[in-house]
Structures are given as C-alpha cells and as structure tokens.
Amino acid sequence: MSKFIMIIFGASGDLTKRKLMPALYTLYKGGRLPEGFSILGIGRTSYTDNYYREYILNELHRFVPAAEQVEQQMTDFCNHLFYQTLNPAEAGEYGLLNERLEAISGEEQPDNLLFYLATPPSLYGVIPLHLKAAGLNRPHTRIIVEKPFGYDLNSARELNEVYASVFQEHQIYRIDHFLGKETAQNILAFRFANGIFEPLWNRNYIDYVEITAVENLGIEGRGGFYEDTGALRDMVQNHLVQLVALTAMEPPAVFNADNFRNEVVKVYESLAPLTEEDLEEHIVRGQYTASGSKAGYREEKGVASDSRTETYIAMKIGINNWRWSGVPFYIRTGKQMPTKVSEIVVHFRETPHRMFRCEGGNCPRANKLILRLQPNEGIVLKFGMKAPGSGFDVKQVMMDFSYDKLGGLPVGDAYARLIEDCIAGDATLFTRSDAVEASWRFFDPVLRYWKEHADAPLYGYPAGTWGPLESEAMMHEHGAEWTNPCKNLTNTDEYCEL
C-alpha cells in the first residue's frame, strides 16, 4: 500500500479550521494516523506550504481545547501539511493536483488517497467528475462528502448517479457528524446490550418519542448558505432522521456496516407518507425575530428582508410497522433557542391504575427516559418513588448517568472518529445511497408543499425562546408536551417542566 495522503478541498474554509484540523490533530496526538501520512489542502486562496502550516497552527491554538494542546506535537503535526492553490471548479487545473500528489508521495499514481469535500454543496457534483477526468478515482481512493447531499429527491438522485459513475459505493463516505458522537452510538448499546429495556421498546409500552436538536446561536454570518438551505435541509433530512432511525430500528443480525445500514433504510422506508392533513397541521415552521440585543433572522447579513426560510421546524411523524404503529415521533430543530441541546426523550405509557395519592407539585408522571447527546452527555430515567414518612405519597425522582463520571474518559471528537473509520475502510456510521434517497422521498413532499403554497404559515418566534407556540398545540392533540431543558444547562437533572 502506498503512502496515505488526505486531500481537503476547501482547506482555507471554516469547516477545515474549526473541525477537520483539530480532529486530525487529535488522531495524530493519539498515534492513530497512518505512519508517514500527509495532508494536502486545496483552495483558491494562494498560500505557500509554510504559510499554510503557520495558519493552521494558529487556528489549532484557537479550536483545540487548551488541555489537549501540546506545542511540539502541534508543530510536528503541521509539518505534515501541504497546500496547493487550485480552483476545484476548473477541470484543467487538476493536472497540478496529480503532479503535487506524486511529488509528496514519491510515487507515480499513488492510490492510497482520501478526498474530503469541505466545500460549498455546489461543488459536490463537480469535483468527482474532475477527479475521474484526471485519473484520480483509483481502486484504493475514498471520498468523504459533507451534507446536505442534494437539495431535494431529484438532486440527490443526480448526485448519487454522479458518484456511482466515478466511484464504487464502498469508496463513498457521506458523513453525518451526529453519528460520530459517542452518545449517538451508545443508543444502540443501551438498547441492544441490555435485556431490561428492549422488551419495552415498542407501541405496547411507549406513548410517544420526542427528538430535539437545537442551538442557542443564530446563523453566524452564513446568511448566503442558510437562505438556500433552511432548517429542514440543514438538520432534519439528515441529523434528526438518523436519530429517529437509531431509536426505532430493529436489531441487526450482525453488527457490521451492511446489516446496520440495512436496518436504517428499513426505518426510512417505514415512515408513514405525509398526508395533506400532516402537511397542514403536523408541521410547524418558524423564523426567529429580534429580541433584546439579538437580531432577527431577516436582519442577518445575506438574508432577504422578506425571507421565507425556516430557522425552526417541528414535525409529527409516524412509522408504519408492528413495533411502532400508532406511536408518534415528534422532532424539532431550531436556531436561537434558549440553550444548545440534542436529546431523545422516550415517554412510556401511564400506569393503568393510580393507586397512590400525590400532593404538592412533584407528582409522578409517566416514566420518561432521556438520552442526552449534548451537552453533558448521559442518560436520565424518571420514575415514581414513595416519599419518606407515613402514608404513601409518591414523588417523581431521577436516576442519571453522565459520561464525565465514567472514569474521566473523554467523550471523543465526532469528526476524529468518523475520519478514523474512513481511513480504516469502516462505513458503518456513514450514509448509504439508498438511505439518502429514502430519506428524501419522505421529506420531498414538504418542500413541494411550501413551494406550491406561498401562504403556508411561517411563524415568528422571539430569539431566545422555545419556538412558535403552535408547535406546542401540535403535540397537545396527543396529550403530549415538549421536554424543555433549562437555560444554562449544567447537569443532566436540570429540566424545566412545562
């Protein structure tokens, strides 16, 4: 096998400096990169190798946690970096890439290559074709492509056709960094490694499921990108539906890439098709408005003053199979929320008969299981217990586990985990082409409905709040309610009950 070279398109961009380089440094520091590796940055900006190394070293000081910074190791890591000025949209410039790869590797036509597309989505369908024309789609070459993979079903199919014409499926790694999070993977271990939960994991015992992934920031100067994307494309079609799959999937016969991803696709194909009523009543989209010192979305740079782009979306979806029939899954994502949190909340059914009295404001509700992905990664189980003293007053209590209590072990970097898996050729946590299309088949009617109904509601919500009140009303028809973590969350037990 030839020398390993990772080529990053978009090497001077935000994703590279904030996520990719810190992740690669983490792998290097842990001795988890191939011996003699090189990283070649590609971009339009004109840098020399030495300037690029100094630039990345400075950015590592900004984005690597202080406790993990080892100056000599950071410098040594940056010595493995190279840079080639090149316009990725111009096919004629890829000869320069070929020459540079041969110079770095010392080999003719090196093929142990990993391409990473940290570029605008407009280049996702262009770069693979240029790589093919330059003869860079070699047998051991792999390619990682970021989300969104397509803007709708047709564009996703077209992209899949482009990639299939250049690479084989096992060479294509469609990345979703949510699946790189240790706690996302732990959902599978929690369900399938414990005999006490899986027998209850069905419509007989579960009333409803809610999945939340929200941020307390706005669009951070990415108005041009977000205007063409919106919350559905940015978060729902990929991240949230992946979490639905992890929650709802059947246990794979064997835990490997093919079997795991087969079960994910089965969940997507079981999603209940959206009816006209669903499109009108069970989808709530919103857009944050100015509040206090926080600007409204339409006041952000690069955003139209009459923009109809959603920064919040909540949906009720169903799954048509024996395990989940009749159990609603409520999903939501939004910008400018009171806090940043990603979690899955499983609401079990009420006991069939209430035997014990309850006094005060801490009356037991149905059992609730909270799987927290971020922050303060952990698991919380809420259940009723007898209060000390005479009588049988029952109160709600919590049993919680957090990863920071697990021997001080770090949770790990999602990008580091996924890049390492790709280097090793393990595609388990990456999205397959049929899953991309199955997901888009479900969500495509939403985009079409919004396009065809310009008067479809877009509710304003003040920045720093939990979104439009209409999303609460959507859940009330099931007798449900959102679980809202407190602002400035510091512990797994800090929840603001409605």
PDB file of all heavy atoms in Angstrom, residues 19-44:
ATOM      1  N   LYS A  19     -13.112  22.204  12.586  1.00  0.00           N
ATOM      2  CA  LYS A  19     -13.431  20.803  12.872  1.00  0.00           C
ATOM      3  C   LYS A  19     -12.392  19.809  12.364  1.00  0.00           C
ATOM      4  O   LYS A  19     -11.949  18.935  13.107  1.00  0.00           O
ATOM      5  CB  LYS A  19     -14.803  20.456  12.257  1.00  0.00           C
ATOM      6  CG  LYS A  19     -15.963  21.283  12.803  1.00  0.00           C
ATOM      7  CD  LYS A  19     -16.218  20.980  14.272  1.00  0.00           C
ATOM      8  CE  LYS A  19     -17.451  21.726  14.778  1.00  0.00           C
ATOM      9  NZ  LYS A  19     -17.702  21.468  16.216  1.00  0.00           N
ATOM     10  N   LEU A  20     -12.020  19.931  11.084  1.00  0.00           N
ATOM     11  CA  LEU A  20     -11.198  18.887  10.480  1.00  0.00           C
ATOM     12  C   LEU A  20      -9.782  18.865  11.032  1.00  0.00           C
ATOM     13  O   LEU A  20      -9.267  17.803  11.415  1.00  0.00           O
ATOM     14  CB  LEU A  20     -11.177  19.035   8.956  1.00  0.00           C
ATOM     15  CG  LEU A  20     -12.540  18.994   8.261  1.00  0.00           C
ATOM     16  CD1 LEU A  20     -12.355  18.980   6.754  1.00  0.00           C
ATOM     17  CD2 LEU A  20     -13.343  17.792   8.723  1.00  0.00           C
ATOM     18  N   MET A  21      -9.122  20.023  11.061  1.00  0.00           N
ATOM     19  CA  MET A  21      -7.749  20.041  11.548  1.00  0.00           C
ATOM     20  C   MET A  21      -7.645  19.684  13.040  1.00  0.00           C
ATOM     21  O   MET A  21      -6.769  18.914  13.430  1.00  0.00           O
ATOM     22  CB  MET A  21      -7.088  21.391  11.255  1.00  0.00           C
ATOM     23  CG  MET A  21      -6.759  21.599   9.784  1.00  0.00           C
ATOM     24  SD  MET A  21      -5.627  20.313   9.152  1.00  0.00           S
ATOM     25  CE  MET A  21      -5.520  20.798   7.420  1.00  0.00           C
ATOM     26  N   PRO A  22      -8.532  20.208  13.908  1.00  0.00           N
ATOM     27  CA  PRO A  22      -8.494  19.744  15.295  1.00  0.00           C
ATOM     28  C   PRO A  22      -8.720  18.236  15.415  1.00  0.00           C
ATOM     29  O   PRO A  22      -8.087  17.571  16.242  1.00  0.00           O
ATOM     30  CB  PRO A  22      -9.622  20.536  15.960  1.00  0.00           C
ATOM     31  CG  PRO A  22      -9.699  21.802  15.174  1.00  0.00           C
ATOM     32  CD  PRO A  22      -9.433  21.367  13.755  1.00  0.00           C
ATOM     33  N   ALA A  23      -9.611  17.678  14.593  1.00  0.00           N
ATOM     34  CA  ALA A  23      -9.855  16.237  14.630  1.00  0.00           C
ATOM     35  C   ALA A  23      -8.620  15.459  14.177  1.00  0.00           C
ATOM     36  O   ALA A  23      -8.240  14.444  14.786  1.00  0.00           O
ATOM     37  CB  ALA A  23     -11.049  15.888  13.752  1.00  0.00           C
ATOM     38  N   LEU A  24      -7.996  15.919  13.114  1.00  0.00           N
ATOM     39  CA  LEU A  24      -6.792  15.238  12.616  1.00  0.00           C
ATOM     40  C   LEU A  24      -5.646  15.359  13.613  1.00  0.00           C
ATOM     41  O   LEU A  24      -4.875  14.413  13.798  1.00  0.00           O
ATOM     42  CB  LEU A  24      -6.405  15.821  11.254  1.00  0.00           C
ATOM     43  CG  LEU A  24      -7.348  15.433  10.106  1.00  0.00           C
ATOM     44  CD1 LEU A  24      -7.133  16.344   8.903  1.00  0.00           C
ATOM     45  CD2 LEU A  24      -7.138  13.965   9.729  1.00  0.00           C
ATOM     46  N   TYR A  25      -5.530  16.512  14.261  1.00  0.00           N
ATOM     47  CA  TYR A  25      -4.512  16.663  15.311  1.00  0.00           C
ATOM     48  C   TYR A  25      -4.772  15.683  16.453  1.00  0.00           C
ATOM     49  O   TYR A  25      -3.847  15.065  16.994  1.00  0.00           O
ATOM     50  CB  TYR A  25      -4.479  18.099  15.829  1.00  0.00           C
ATOM     51  CG  TYR A  25      -3.724  18.239  17.131  1.00  0.00           C
ATOM     52  CD1 TYR A  25      -2.330  18.144  17.169  1.00  0.00           C
ATOM     53  CD2 TYR A  25      -4.399  18.430  18.339  1.00  0.00           C
ATOM     54  CE1 TYR A  25      -1.637  18.235  18.369  1.00  0.00           C
ATOM     55  CE2 TYR A  25      -3.721  18.546  19.537  1.00  0.00           C
ATOM     56  CZ  TYR A  25      -2.335  18.442  19.545  1.00  0.00           C
ATOM     57  OH  TYR A  25      -1.653  18.529  20.739  1.00  0.00           O
ATOM     58  N   THR A  26      -6.042  15.517  16.834  1.00  0.00           N
ATOM     59  CA  THR A  26      -6.398  14.565  17.885  1.00  0.00           C
ATOM     60  C   THR A  26      -5.969  13.155  17.506  1.00  0.00           C
ATOM     61  O   THR A  26      -5.417  12.409  18.337  1.00  0.00           O
ATOM     62  CB  THR A  26      -7.923  14.605  18.138  1.00  0.00           C
ATOM     63  OG1 THR A  26      -8.284  15.902  18.608  1.00  0.00           O
ATOM     64  CG2 THR A  26      -8.335  13.561  19.169  1.00  0.00           C
ATOM     65  N   LEU A  27      -6.217  12.770  16.257  1.00  0.00           N
ATOM     66  CA  LEU A  27      -5.795  11.448  15.793  1.00  0.00           C
ATOM     67  C   LEU A  27      -4.270  11.325  15.805  1.00  0.00           C
ATOM     68  O   LEU A  27      -3.714  10.294  16.207  1.00  0.00           O
ATOM     69  CB  LEU A  27      -6.339  11.187  14.387  1.00  0.00           C
ATOM     70  CG  LEU A  27      -7.860  11.057  14.257  1.00  0.00           C
ATOM     71  CD1 LEU A  27      -8.248  10.893  12.791  1.00  0.00           C
ATOM     72  CD2 LEU A  27      -8.366   9.877  15.077  1.00  0.00           C
ATOM     73  N   TYR A  28      -3.589  12.373  15.355  1.00  0.00           N
ATOM     74  CA  TYR A  28      -2.119  12.359  15.348  1.00  0.00           C
ATOM     75  C   TYR A  28      -1.568  12.243  16.765  1.00  0.00           C
ATOM     76  O   TYR A  28      -0.663  11.434  17.033  1.00  0.00           O
ATOM     77  CB  TYR A  28      -1.601  13.632  14.680  1.00  0.00           C
ATOM     78  CG  TYR A  28      -0.094  13.771  14.734  1.00  0.00           C
ATOM     79  CD1 TYR A  28       0.724  13.027  13.890  1.00  0.00           C
ATOM     80  CD2 TYR A  28       0.522  14.646  15.634  1.00  0.00           C
ATOM     81  CE1 TYR A  28       2.109  13.145  13.931  1.00  0.00           C
ATOM     82  CE2 TYR A  28       1.891  14.768  15.692  1.00  0.00           C
ATOM     83  CZ  TYR A  28       2.686  14.016  14.839  1.00  0.00           C
ATOM     84  OH  TYR A  28       4.050  14.130  14.908  1.00  0.00           O
ATOM     85  N   LYS A  29      -2.115  13.024  17.669  1.00  0.00           N
ATOM     86  CA  LYS A  29      -1.654  13.025  19.060  1.00  0.00           C
ATOM     87  C   LYS A  29      -1.836  11.645  19.698  1.00  0.00           C
ATOM     88  O   LYS A  29      -1.038  11.219  20.524  1.00  0.00           O
ATOM     89  CB  LYS A  29      -2.445  14.085  19.842  1.00  0.00           C
ATOM     90  CG  LYS A  29      -2.012  14.296  21.286  1.00  0.00           C
ATOM     91  CD  LYS A  29      -2.695  15.543  21.843  1.00  0.00           C
ATOM     92  CE  LYS A  29      -2.372  15.761  23.316  1.00  0.00           C
ATOM     93  NZ  LYS A  29      -3.178  14.887  24.184  1.00  0.00           N
ATOM     94  N   GLY A  30      -2.893  10.952  19.282  1.00  0.00           N
ATOM     95  CA  GLY A  30      -3.153   9.622  19.820  1.00  0.00           C
ATOM     96  C   GLY A  30      -2.472   8.511  19.051  1.00  0.00           C
ATOM     97  O   GLY A  30      -2.713   7.327  19.339  1.00  0.00           O
ATOM     98  N   GLY A  31      -1.639   8.860  18.055  1.00  0.00           N
ATOM     99  CA  GLY A  31      -0.938   7.835  17.284  1.00  0.00           C
ATOM    100  C   GLY A  31      -1.868   7.014  16.404  1.00  0.00           C
ATOM    101  O   GLY A  31      -1.603   5.842  16.136  1.00  0.00           O
ATOM    102  N   ARG A  32      -2.954   7.645  15.933  1.00  0.00           N
ATOM    103  CA  ARG A  32      -3.978   6.896  15.191  1.00  0.00           C
ATOM    104  C   ARG A  32      -4.036   7.263  13.706  1.00  0.00           C
ATOM    105  O   ARG A  32      -4.987   6.893  13.012  1.00  0.00           O
ATOM    106  CB  ARG A  32      -5.340   7.138  15.850  1.00  0.00           C
ATOM    107  CG  ARG A  32      -5.443   6.457  17.213  1.00  0.00           C
ATOM    108  CD  ARG A  32      -6.324   7.186  18.190  1.00  0.00           C
ATOM    109  NE  ARG A  32      -7.670   7.441  17.716  1.00  0.00           N
ATOM    110  CZ  ARG A  32      -8.508   8.290  18.297  1.00  0.00           C
ATOM    111  NH1 ARG A  32      -8.125   8.988  19.361  1.00  0.00           N
ATOM    112  NH2 ARG A  32      -9.722   8.452  17.819  1.00  0.00           N
ATOM    113  N   LEU A  33      -3.034   7.973  13.199  1.00  0.00           N
ATOM    114  CA  LEU A  33      -2.928   8.220  11.763  1.00  0.00           C
ATOM    115  C   LEU A  33      -1.862   7.307  11.168  1.00  0.00           C
ATOM    116  O   LEU A  33      -0.889   6.954  11.846  1.00  0.00           O
ATOM    117  CB  LEU A  33      -2.578   9.688  11.502  1.00  0.00           C
ATOM    118  CG  LEU A  33      -3.683  10.717  11.746  1.00  0.00           C
ATOM    119  CD1 LEU A  33      -3.164  12.135  11.514  1.00  0.00           C
ATOM    120  CD2 LEU A  33      -4.893  10.452  10.850  1.00  0.00           C
ATOM    121  N   PRO A  34      -2.016   6.914   9.905  1.00  0.00           N
ATOM    122  CA  PRO A  34      -1.029   6.027   9.284  1.00  0.00           C
ATOM    123  C   PRO A  34       0.375   6.636   9.310  1.00  0.00           C
ATOM    124  O   PRO A  34       0.539   7.860   9.199  1.00  0.00           O
ATOM    125  CB  PRO A  34      -1.529   5.886   7.845  1.00  0.00           C
ATOM    126  CG  PRO A  34      -2.993   6.191   7.918  1.00  0.00           C
ATOM    127  CD  PRO A  34      -3.132   7.228   8.991  1.00  0.00           C
ATOM    128  N   GLU A  35       1.350   5.790   9.457  1.00  0.00           N
ATOM    129  CA  GLU A  35       2.735   6.259   9.501  1.00  0.00           C
ATOM    130  C   GLU A  35       3.100   6.928   8.175  1.00  0.00           C
ATOM    131  O   GLU A  35       2.767   6.452   7.093  1.00  0.00           O
ATOM    132  CB  GLU A  35       3.668   5.073   9.766  1.00  0.00           C
ATOM    133  CG  GLU A  35       5.117   5.462   9.963  1.00  0.00           C
ATOM    134  CD  GLU A  35       5.995   4.275  10.307  1.00  0.00           C
ATOM    135  OE1 GLU A  35       5.433   3.183  10.555  1.00  0.00           O
ATOM    136  OE2 GLU A  35       7.230   4.432  10.307  1.00  0.00           O
ATOM    137  N   GLY A  36       3.770   8.071   8.275  1.00  0.00           N
ATOM    138  CA  GLY A  36       4.200   8.779   7.076  1.00  0.00           C
ATOM    139  C   GLY A  36       3.081   9.454   6.312  1.00  0.00           C
ATOM    140  O   GLY A  36       3.214   9.735   5.115  1.00  0.00           O
ATOM    141  N   PHE A  37       1.984   9.764   6.984  1.00  0.00           N
ATOM    142  CA  PHE A  37       0.841  10.397   6.329  1.00  0.00           C
ATOM    143  C   PHE A  37       1.182  11.823   5.889  1.00  0.00           C
ATOM    144  O   PHE A  37       2.099  12.465   6.412  1.00  0.00           O
ATOM    145  CB  PHE A  37      -0.368  10.439   7.278  1.00  0.00           C
ATOM    146  CG  PHE A  37      -0.244  11.483   8.357  1.00  0.00           C
ATOM    147  CD1 PHE A  37      -0.798  12.752   8.201  1.00  0.00           C
ATOM    148  CD2 PHE A  37       0.453  11.216   9.529  1.00  0.00           C
ATOM    149  CE1 PHE A  37      -0.668  13.718   9.190  1.00  0.00           C
ATOM    150  CE2 PHE A  37       0.585  12.171  10.526  1.00  0.00           C
ATOM    151  CZ  PHE A  37       0.013  13.422  10.349  1.00  0.00           C
ATOM    152  N   SER A  38       0.396  12.315   4.947  1.00  0.00           N
ATOM    153  CA  SER A  38       0.464  13.716   4.531  1.00  0.00           C
ATOM    154  C   SER A  38      -0.953  14.233   4.357  1.00  0.00           C
ATOM    155  O   SER A  38      -1.873  13.465   4.056  1.00  0.00           O
ATOM    156  CB  SER A  38       1.219  13.869   3.207  1.00  0.00           C
ATOM    157  OG  SER A  38       2.552  13.436   3.337  1.00  0.00           O
ATOM    158  N   ILE A  39      -1.122  15.538   4.549  1.00  0.00           N
ATOM    159  CA  ILE A  39      -2.415  16.192   4.333  1.00  0.00           C
ATOM    160  C   ILE A  39      -2.189  17.337   3.363  1.00  0.00           C
ATOM    161  O   ILE A  39      -1.375  18.227   3.614  1.00  0.00           O
ATOM    162  CB  ILE A  39      -3.007  16.716   5.656  1.00  0.00           C
ATOM    163  CG1 ILE A  39      -3.228  15.566   6.644  1.00  0.00           C
ATOM    164  CG2 ILE A  39      -4.312  17.468   5.397  1.00  0.00           C
ATOM    165  CD1 ILE A  39      -3.572  16.012   8.046  1.00  0.00           C
ATOM    166  N   LEU A  40      -2.896  17.299   2.252  1.00  0.00           N
ATOM    167  CA  LEU A  40      -2.754  18.320   1.218  1.00  0.00           C
ATOM    168  C   LEU A  40      -4.022  19.167   1.167  1.00  0.00           C
ATOM    169  O   LEU A  40      -5.117  18.658   0.900  1.00  0.00           O
ATOM    170  CB  LEU A  40      -2.512  17.668  -0.147  1.00  0.00           C
ATOM    171  CG  LEU A  40      -2.462  18.613  -1.357  1.00  0.00           C
ATOM    172  CD1 LEU A  40      -1.344  19.634  -1.210  1.00  0.00           C
ATOM    173  CD2 LEU A  40      -2.322  17.823  -2.656  1.00  0.00           C
ATOM    174  N   GLY A  41      -3.879  20.444   1.453  1.00  0.00           N
ATOM    175  CA  GLY A  41      -5.002  21.368   1.382  1.00  0.00           C
ATOM    176  C   GLY A  41      -5.143  21.941  -0.013  1.00  0.00           C
ATOM    177  O   GLY A  41      -4.144  22.294  -0.649  1.00  0.00           O
ATOM    178  N   ILE A  42      -6.392  22.022  -0.471  1.00  0.00           N
ATOM    179  CA  ILE A  42      -6.690  22.570  -1.790  1.00  0.00           C
ATOM    180  C   ILE A  42      -7.627  23.764  -1.627  1.00  0.00           C
ATOM    181  O   ILE A  42      -8.623  23.689  -0.904  1.00  0.00           O
ATOM    182  CB  ILE A  42      -7.378  21.524  -2.691  1.00  0.00           C
ATOM    183  CG1 ILE A  42      -6.514  20.271  -2.838  1.00  0.00           C
ATOM    184  CG2 ILE A  42      -7.723  22.124  -4.047  1.00  0.00           C
ATOM    185  CD1 ILE A  42      -5.237  20.491  -3.589  1.00  0.00           C
ATOM    186  N   GLY A  43      -7.311  24.863  -2.292  1.00  0.00           N
ATOM    187  CA  GLY A  43      -8.188  26.021  -2.231  1.00  0.00           C
ATOM    188  C   GLY A  43      -7.786  27.077  -3.238  1.00  0.00           C
ATOM    189  O   GLY A  43      -6.684  27.043  -3.795  1.00  0.00           O
ATOM    190  N   ARG A  44      -8.696  28.024  -3.458  1.00  0.00           N
ATOM    191  CA  ARG A  44      -8.407  29.113  -4.390  1.00  0.00           C
ATOM    192  C   ARG A  44      -7.427  30.117  -3.790  1.00  0.00           C
ATOM    193  O   ARG A  44      -6.656  30.748  -4.506  1.00  0.00           O
ATOM    194  CB  ARG A  44      -9.711  29.841  -4.763  1.00  0.00           C
ATOM    195  CG  ARG A  44     -10.701  29.004  -5.544  1.00  0.00           C
ATOM    196  CD  ARG A  44     -11.853  29.886  -6.016  1.00  0.00           C
ATOM    197  NE  ARG A  44     -12.877  29.131  -6.722  1.00  0.00           N
ATOM    198  CZ  ARG A  44     -13.959  28.622  -6.169  1.00  0.00           C
ATOM    199  NH1 ARG A  44     -14.148  28.791  -4.870  1.00  0.00           N
ATOM    200  NH2 ARG A  44     -14.839  27.966  -6.874  1.00  0.00           N
TER     201      ARG A  44
END
